[in-house]
Amino acid sequence: MRDRPRPDVLSALLRRVRITTSAFGRIELGAPWGFRIGPRDTVVLHHVLDGEMWLGLDGRESRIGPGDLVILAHGTPHTLRHRPGAPVADETPPAPDGLSVRRRYGGDGAVTVVLCAESVVTGAGRALLLRALPPVVHAPAAGEPVPGLGRLLALLREEVRAGRRGAPLIAARLAELLLLNGVRGELERPSPAGSWRAGLADDRVARALDALYDAPERPWSLVTLARAAGMSRSAFAHRFRELVGESPFAHLTRWRMELAKEMLREDPGLTLGEIASAVGYGGEFAFGAAFRRVVGTPPGVYRATASGHRREDTPGL
């Protein structure tokens, strides 16, 4: 076991995640200013270039200083102010509605300059990845707690400052790398048992997670998963539940259903039998029963609903 390479569960999960930056821009905020930002389906990033601001979340306010990066992974409502307790305007988001937009808000007082981005996270790995993150990830500039973050931020600032051809798209891609770097840094921090993240820090449980994420179609049993972890069956079952917070098969089933949902949404040419086989079920009946139990609706209904949403979101259709 000592000679085996460490499992890279995060890579296995990120292969099933797509990140697209939908909005990015440089915002100048002159005091007095304050915004109440409502719930979103996106991941929001704020990077302070100059000055400071106060982030309000769940009744608490935190200072965000120059050079700091903030990631709000769950689209949680929050406030941004020039000072604690300052009045806020409802639903006037500082985030831009396009790429590389420059705007100014507020009064003639002290200026805070912020790079703001909104990223859309999709794919089968989305639910697990976002569930592992706290409401806010705050990476302060001092000490660079996330390796490489400072270099990425410097590149991003340079793209925005220089305004060269292609800068909006390059800056958007850099924002996506920022998000990935911040997520990785957060997941590498210690986590209490029962939160899924704790399983990543345990080599043996992580080997089992890596195996089932990489090959969900295999006919996994408690014996084969325990073998992948290098543990006895009973010790593995206990350790997995203790760290991850659910049984190995409950976790495997939820992962299979996330993969199935992605295939139902993204590939209308696949039959239910093909999807069932791809996620480890011998037939449509067993797959349909599992899907309905976990997701709450039959796979055919889910596919029809997802297709309808796609048509509504597509201009000209």
Side-chain angles (χ1 to χ4, degrees), residues 267-303:
D267 199 338
L270 287 176
T271 67
L272 294 184
E274 289 170 330
I275 294 174
S277 178
V279 296
Y281 289 87
E284 289 185 32
F285 181 80
F287 164 65
F291 190 94
R292 185 166 189 165
R293 182 177 71 253
V294 174
V295 180
T297 186
V301 174
Y302 180 88
R303 167 175 270 172

Short mmCIF file of all heavy atoms in Angstrom, two decimals, residues 267-303:
data_model
loop_
_atom_site.label_atom_id
_atom_site.label_comp_id
_atom_site.label_asym_id
_atom_site.label_seq_id
_atom_site.Cartn_x
_atom_site.Cartn_y
_atom_site.Cartn_z
N ASP A 267 -27.86 14.22 -23.85
CA ASP A 267 -27.78 13.30 -25.00
C ASP A 267 -29.14 12.65 -25.25
O ASP A 267 -29.38 11.51 -24.84
CB ASP A 267 -26.71 12.24 -24.76
CG ASP A 267 -26.27 11.58 -26.06
OD1 ASP A 267 -27.04 11.61 -27.03
OD2 ASP A 267 -25.15 11.03 -26.10
N PRO A 268 -30.04 13.34 -25.95
CA PRO A 268 -31.38 12.79 -26.19
C PRO A 268 -31.37 11.55 -27.07
O PRO A 268 -32.37 10.83 -27.13
CB PRO A 268 -32.12 13.95 -26.87
CG PRO A 268 -31.05 14.81 -27.45
CD PRO A 268 -29.89 14.70 -26.52
N GLY A 269 -30.25 11.28 -27.75
CA GLY A 269 -30.19 10.09 -28.61
C GLY A 269 -29.99 8.80 -27.85
O GLY A 269 -30.21 7.71 -28.40
N LEU A 270 -29.57 8.87 -26.60
CA LEU A 270 -29.36 7.66 -25.81
C LEU A 270 -30.69 7.09 -25.33
O LEU A 270 -31.55 7.83 -24.84
CB LEU A 270 -28.48 7.96 -24.59
CG LEU A 270 -26.99 8.20 -24.84
CD1 LEU A 270 -26.31 8.57 -23.54
CD2 LEU A 270 -26.32 6.98 -25.45
N THR A 271 -30.85 5.78 -25.45
CA THR A 271 -32.05 5.13 -24.91
C THR A 271 -31.90 4.97 -23.41
O THR A 271 -30.79 5.02 -22.86
CB THR A 271 -32.27 3.76 -25.56
OG1 THR A 271 -31.20 2.88 -25.14
CG2 THR A 271 -32.28 3.86 -27.08
N LEU A 272 -33.01 4.73 -22.74
CA LEU A 272 -32.95 4.50 -21.29
C LEU A 272 -32.15 3.25 -20.99
O LEU A 272 -31.46 3.17 -19.97
CB LEU A 272 -34.36 4.39 -20.71
CG LEU A 272 -35.21 5.67 -20.76
CD1 LEU A 272 -36.55 5.43 -20.08
CD2 LEU A 272 -34.48 6.84 -20.12
N GLY A 273 -32.22 2.24 -21.87
CA GLY A 273 -31.44 1.03 -21.67
C GLY A 273 -29.95 1.31 -21.75
O GLY A 273 -29.16 0.75 -20.96
N GLU A 274 -29.55 2.16 -22.68
CA GLU A 274 -28.13 2.51 -22.81
C GLU A 274 -27.64 3.30 -21.60
O GLU A 274 -26.52 3.08 -21.11
CB GLU A 274 -27.91 3.31 -24.10
CG GLU A 274 -28.05 2.48 -25.37
CD GLU A 274 -28.07 3.31 -26.63
OE1 GLU A 274 -28.54 4.48 -26.57
OE2 GLU A 274 -27.63 2.82 -27.67
N ILE A 275 -28.48 4.20 -21.11
CA ILE A 275 -28.11 4.96 -19.92
C ILE A 275 -28.02 4.04 -18.72
O ILE A 275 -27.08 4.14 -17.91
CB ILE A 275 -29.11 6.10 -19.68
CG1 ILE A 275 -29.03 7.12 -20.82
CG2 ILE A 275 -28.86 6.77 -18.33
CD1 ILE A 275 -30.07 8.21 -20.75
N ALA A 276 -28.99 3.13 -18.59
CA ALA A 276 -28.97 2.17 -17.48
C ALA A 276 -27.67 1.39 -17.47
O ALA A 276 -27.01 1.23 -16.43
CB ALA A 276 -30.17 1.23 -17.58
N SER A 277 -27.25 0.90 -18.63
CA SER A 277 -26.02 0.13 -18.73
C SER A 277 -24.80 0.98 -18.40
O SER A 277 -23.86 0.52 -17.74
CB SER A 277 -25.88 -0.45 -20.13
OG SER A 277 -24.67 -1.16 -20.29
N ALA A 278 -24.80 2.24 -18.83
CA ALA A 278 -23.65 3.12 -18.63
C ALA A 278 -23.42 3.45 -17.16
O ALA A 278 -22.29 3.77 -16.77
CB ALA A 278 -23.84 4.41 -19.42
N VAL A 279 -24.49 3.37 -16.35
CA VAL A 279 -24.34 3.69 -14.92
C VAL A 279 -24.47 2.46 -14.03
O VAL A 279 -24.67 2.58 -12.82
CB VAL A 279 -25.35 4.78 -14.49
CG1 VAL A 279 -25.07 6.09 -15.22
CG2 VAL A 279 -26.78 4.33 -14.70
N GLY A 280 -24.34 1.27 -14.64
CA GLY A 280 -24.20 0.08 -13.81
C GLY A 280 -25.46 -0.70 -13.51
O GLY A 280 -25.46 -1.49 -12.56
N TYR A 281 -26.54 -0.52 -14.30
CA TYR A 281 -27.77 -1.27 -14.07
C TYR A 281 -28.00 -2.24 -15.22
O TYR A 281 -27.77 -1.91 -16.39
CB TYR A 281 -28.97 -0.33 -13.91
CG TYR A 281 -28.93 0.42 -12.60
CD1 TYR A 281 -28.23 1.62 -12.49
CD2 TYR A 281 -29.55 -0.09 -11.47
CE1 TYR A 281 -28.16 2.31 -11.29
CE2 TYR A 281 -29.51 0.59 -10.27
CZ TYR A 281 -28.81 1.78 -10.18
OH TYR A 281 -28.73 2.45 -8.97
N GLY A 282 -28.50 -3.43 -14.88
CA GLY A 282 -28.70 -4.48 -15.88
C GLY A 282 -29.90 -4.29 -16.77
O GLY A 282 -30.01 -4.93 -17.80
N GLY A 283 -30.82 -3.42 -16.41
CA GLY A 283 -32.01 -3.21 -17.21
C GLY A 283 -32.71 -1.92 -16.86
O GLY A 283 -32.41 -1.27 -15.84
N GLU A 284 -33.66 -1.53 -17.72
CA GLU A 284 -34.38 -0.27 -17.53
C GLU A 284 -35.22 -0.26 -16.25
O GLU A 284 -35.35 0.78 -15.60
CB GLU A 284 -35.29 -0.01 -18.73
CG GLU A 284 -34.58 0.34 -20.01
CD GLU A 284 -35.55 0.69 -21.11
OE1 GLU A 284 -36.64 1.24 -20.79
OE2 GLU A 284 -35.26 0.41 -22.28
N PHE A 285 -35.79 -1.40 -15.89
CA PHE A 285 -36.69 -1.43 -14.73
C PHE A 285 -35.93 -1.09 -13.45
O PHE A 285 -36.36 -0.24 -12.66
CB PHE A 285 -37.36 -2.79 -14.60
CG PHE A 285 -38.31 -2.87 -13.45
CD1 PHE A 285 -39.59 -2.34 -13.53
CD2 PHE A 285 -37.92 -3.46 -12.25
CE1 PHE A 285 -40.47 -2.40 -12.45
CE2 PHE A 285 -38.78 -3.53 -11.17
CZ PHE A 285 -40.06 -3.00 -11.27
N ALA A 286 -34.79 -1.78 -13.25
CA ALA A 286 -34.00 -1.52 -12.03
C ALA A 286 -33.48 -0.08 -12.02
O ALA A 286 -33.49 0.60 -10.98
CB ALA A 286 -32.84 -2.51 -11.94
N PHE A 287 -33.04 0.38 -13.19
CA PHE A 287 -32.56 1.75 -13.28
C PHE A 287 -33.67 2.75 -13.00
O PHE A 287 -33.51 3.70 -12.23
CB PHE A 287 -31.96 2.00 -14.67
CG PHE A 287 -31.77 3.45 -14.99
CD1 PHE A 287 -30.88 4.23 -14.28
CD2 PHE A 287 -32.50 4.05 -16.02
CE1 PHE A 287 -30.70 5.58 -14.58
CE2 PHE A 287 -32.34 5.39 -16.33
CZ PHE A 287 -31.43 6.16 -15.61
N GLY A 288 -34.84 2.54 -13.62
CA GLY A 288 -35.96 3.46 -13.43
C GLY A 288 -36.41 3.53 -11.98
O GLY A 288 -36.72 4.61 -11.47
N ALA A 289 -36.42 2.36 -11.31
CA ALA A 289 -36.83 2.35 -9.90
C ALA A 289 -35.84 3.13 -9.04
O ALA A 289 -36.24 3.91 -8.16
CB ALA A 289 -36.96 0.91 -9.42
N ALA A 290 -34.54 2.93 -9.29
CA ALA A 290 -33.52 3.64 -8.52
C ALA A 290 -33.58 5.14 -8.81
O ALA A 290 -33.47 5.97 -7.89
CB ALA A 290 -32.14 3.09 -8.86
N PHE A 291 -33.76 5.50 -10.07
CA PHE A 291 -33.80 6.91 -10.44
C PHE A 291 -34.99 7.60 -9.77
O PHE A 291 -34.85 8.69 -9.20
CB PHE A 291 -33.91 7.03 -11.96
CG PHE A 291 -33.72 8.43 -12.48
CD1 PHE A 291 -32.48 8.87 -12.88
CD2 PHE A 291 -34.79 9.32 -12.57
CE1 PHE A 291 -32.29 10.16 -13.36
CE2 PHE A 291 -34.61 10.61 -13.04
CZ PHE A 291 -33.36 11.03 -13.44
N ARG A 292 -36.14 6.95 -9.81
CA ARG A 292 -37.33 7.56 -9.21
C ARG A 292 -37.17 7.68 -7.69
O ARG A 292 -37.59 8.68 -7.09
CB ARG A 292 -38.56 6.73 -9.54
CG ARG A 292 -39.85 7.35 -9.04
CD ARG A 292 -41.06 6.71 -9.67
NE ARG A 292 -42.27 7.42 -9.37
CZ ARG A 292 -43.42 7.24 -10.00
NH1 ARG A 292 -43.50 6.36 -10.99
NH2 ARG A 292 -44.50 7.93 -9.66
N ARG A 293 -36.55 6.69 -7.07
CA ARG A 293 -36.36 6.73 -5.62
C ARG A 293 -35.43 7.88 -5.21
O ARG A 293 -35.68 8.58 -4.22
CB ARG A 293 -35.78 5.40 -5.14
CG ARG A 293 -35.60 5.33 -3.62
CD ARG A 293 -35.09 3.99 -3.17
NE ARG A 293 -33.68 3.78 -3.55
CZ ARG A 293 -33.28 2.97 -4.50
NH1 ARG A 293 -34.16 2.27 -5.22
NH2 ARG A 293 -31.99 2.85 -4.77
N VAL A 294 -34.36 8.10 -5.97
CA VAL A 294 -33.36 9.10 -5.61
C VAL A 294 -33.75 10.49 -6.10
O VAL A 294 -33.66 11.48 -5.36
CB VAL A 294 -31.98 8.70 -6.16
CG1 VAL A 294 -30.96 9.81 -5.91
CG2 VAL A 294 -31.51 7.39 -5.53
N VAL A 295 -34.20 10.59 -7.35
CA VAL A 295 -34.46 11.89 -7.96
C VAL A 295 -35.89 12.36 -7.70
O VAL A 295 -36.16 13.56 -7.62
CB VAL A 295 -34.17 11.83 -9.48
CG1 VAL A 295 -34.44 13.17 -10.16
CG2 VAL A 295 -32.72 11.39 -9.71
N GLY A 296 -36.82 11.41 -7.56
CA GLY A 296 -38.20 11.76 -7.26
C GLY A 296 -39.11 11.80 -8.46
O GLY A 296 -40.29 12.15 -8.32
N THR A 297 -38.61 11.46 -9.63
CA THR A 297 -39.43 11.44 -10.85
C THR A 297 -38.87 10.38 -11.78
O THR A 297 -37.68 10.07 -11.73
CB THR A 297 -39.39 12.83 -11.53
OG1 THR A 297 -40.29 12.85 -12.63
CG2 THR A 297 -38.01 13.17 -12.03
N PRO A 298 -39.68 9.77 -12.64
CA PRO A 298 -39.18 8.77 -13.58
C PRO A 298 -38.18 9.40 -14.56
O PRO A 298 -38.28 10.60 -14.88
CB PRO A 298 -40.44 8.28 -14.31
CG PRO A 298 -41.56 8.64 -13.41
CD PRO A 298 -41.15 9.91 -12.72
N PRO A 299 -37.22 8.63 -15.07
CA PRO A 299 -36.22 9.19 -15.99
C PRO A 299 -36.82 9.80 -17.25
O PRO A 299 -36.32 10.81 -17.74
CB PRO A 299 -35.30 8.00 -16.31
CG PRO A 299 -36.04 6.78 -15.86
CD PRO A 299 -36.94 7.22 -14.76
N GLY A 300 -37.90 9.19 -17.80
CA GLY A 300 -38.51 9.75 -19.00
C GLY A 300 -39.11 11.12 -18.75
O GLY A 300 -38.99 12.03 -19.59
N VAL A 301 -39.74 11.29 -17.60
CA VAL A 301 -40.32 12.59 -17.24
C VAL A 301 -39.21 13.62 -17.02
O VAL A 301 -39.30 14.77 -17.45
CB VAL A 301 -41.21 12.46 -15.99
CG1 VAL A 301 -41.69 13.84 -15.53
CG2 VAL A 301 -42.39 11.54 -16.26
N TYR A 302 -38.14 13.18 -16.36
CA TYR A 302 -37.02 14.09 -16.13
C TYR A 302 -36.43 14.56 -17.45
O TYR A 302 -36.15 15.75 -17.62
CB TYR A 302 -35.94 13.38 -15.30
CG TYR A 302 -34.73 14.25 -15.02
CD1 TYR A 302 -34.71 15.06 -13.89
CD2 TYR A 302 -33.64 14.26 -15.88
CE1 TYR A 302 -33.61 15.87 -13.64
CE2 TYR A 302 -32.55 15.07 -15.64
CZ TYR A 302 -32.54 15.86 -14.51
OH TYR A 302 -31.46 16.67 -14.27
N ARG A 303 -36.28 13.64 -18.40
CA ARG A 303 -35.71 14.00 -19.70
C ARG A 303 -36.62 15.00 -20.43
O ARG A 303 -36.14 15.99 -20.99
CB ARG A 303 -35.51 12.75 -20.56
CG ARG A 303 -35.24 13.05 -22.02
CD ARG A 303 -34.92 11.79 -22.79
NE ARG A 303 -33.50 11.50 -22.76
CZ ARG A 303 -32.95 10.38 -23.23
NH1 ARG A 303 -33.74 9.41 -23.70
NH2 ARG A 303 -31.66 10.21 -23.21
#
